[in-house]
Amino acid sequence: AVALAALLPTARARRSQDLHCGACRALVDELEWEIAQVDPRKTIQMGSFRINPDGSQSVVEVPYARSETHLTDLLERVCEKMKEYGEKVDPSTHRKSYVRVISHDGTKMDLSGVKIDGDVTSSLKFACESIAEEYEDELIEFLSHEADNVKDRLCSKRTDLCDHALHIPHDEL
């Protein structure tokens, strides 16, 4: 009984780490997908509201998709997408990962071995919201510029949410 009690915190910590890592990776996937849906020609005016000595303002147009305005808006609502995810357990390692159960384009998905229930989605949504709030500045920093490997750079290197998961394959939505 003592040995079993000693193992429980380890299993619980790994489950929590799997959840937070999965939530981070799903969050980045969803943000990158949303950014890709924006018309690349759409721009937003950014700049200072100060008036220069010559009467002009320093305003520039930037692409809307990766603007701080758009990214902030996305961060406020992206965790709702976690209800479209399920939990998959690796039979050999017993590690949990989170996969989309509803495709963006309506194609049929292989859901064998995927657990879909309210507890999974609410835990994932809560973890997503915590990460989005805690790492908002980092998310905006990484996503405001087209960067490679945002999932690994943010979820593994910057935050250590996935320090165990550098071997997770790069899944595309």
Side-chain angles (χ1 to χ4, degrees), residues 98-118:
Y98 298 87
V99 295
R100 220 167 207 299
V101 296
I102 301 171
S103 70
H104 286 294
D105 62 3
T107 56
K108 195 110 171 96
M109 300 180 71
D110 175 18
L111 300 178
S112 56
V114 177
K115 177 180 167 186
I116 305 166
D117 72 22

Side-chain angles (χ1 to χ4, degrees), residues 99-161:
V99 295
R100 220 167 207 299
V101 296
I102 301 171
S103 70
H104 286 294
D105 62 3
T107 56
K108 195 110 171 96
M109 300 180 71
D110 175 18
L111 300 178
S112 56
V114 177
K115 177 180 167 186
I116 305 166
D117 72 22
D119 290 343
V120 168
T121 56
S122 64
S123 296
L124 197 58
K125 182 177 182 269
F126 182 75
C128 175
E129 289 168 344
S130 301
I131 293 164
E133 185 177 327
E134 187 172 347
Y135 297 106
E136 179 178 4
D137 293 341
E138 287 88 345
L139 283 159
I140 290 172
E141 175 191 329
F142 279 123
L143 294 167
S144 63
H145 311 289
E146 279 194 59
D148 293 329
N149 301 328
V150 173
K151 273 192 282 195
D152 284 343
R153 290 174 59 203
L154 181 77
C155 300
S156 298
K157 294 181 176 87
R158 178 68 67 93
T159 64
D160 286 336
L161 291 169

Side-chain angles (χ1 to χ4, degrees), residues 10 13 18 22 38 49 76 93 97 106 116 124 128 130 148 171-172:
T10 306
D18 287 351
V38 176
F49 293 104
E76 288 177 14
T93 65
S97 61
I116 305 166
L124 197 58
C128 175
S130 301
D148 293 329
D171 50 323
E172 296 302 322

Side-chain angles (χ1 to χ4, degrees), residues 17 23 29 43 53 59 69 86 100 122 132 157-158 161 163-164:
Q17 186 179 38
D29 279 341
T43 59
V59 177
T69 303
R100 220 167 207 299
S122 64
K157 294 181 176 87
R158 178 68 67 93
L161 291 169
D163 60 353
H164 71 284

Side-chain angles (χ1 to χ4, degrees), residues 79-98:
C79 292
E80 290 298 321
K81 300 275 188 188
M82 296 303 120
K83 67 180 177 244
E84 298 172 7
Y85 280 75
E87 181 179 84
K88 195 168 192 161
V89 178
D90 183 304
S92 60
T93 65
H94 303 291
R95 302 293 314 224
K96 293 178 180 170
S97 61
Y98 298 87

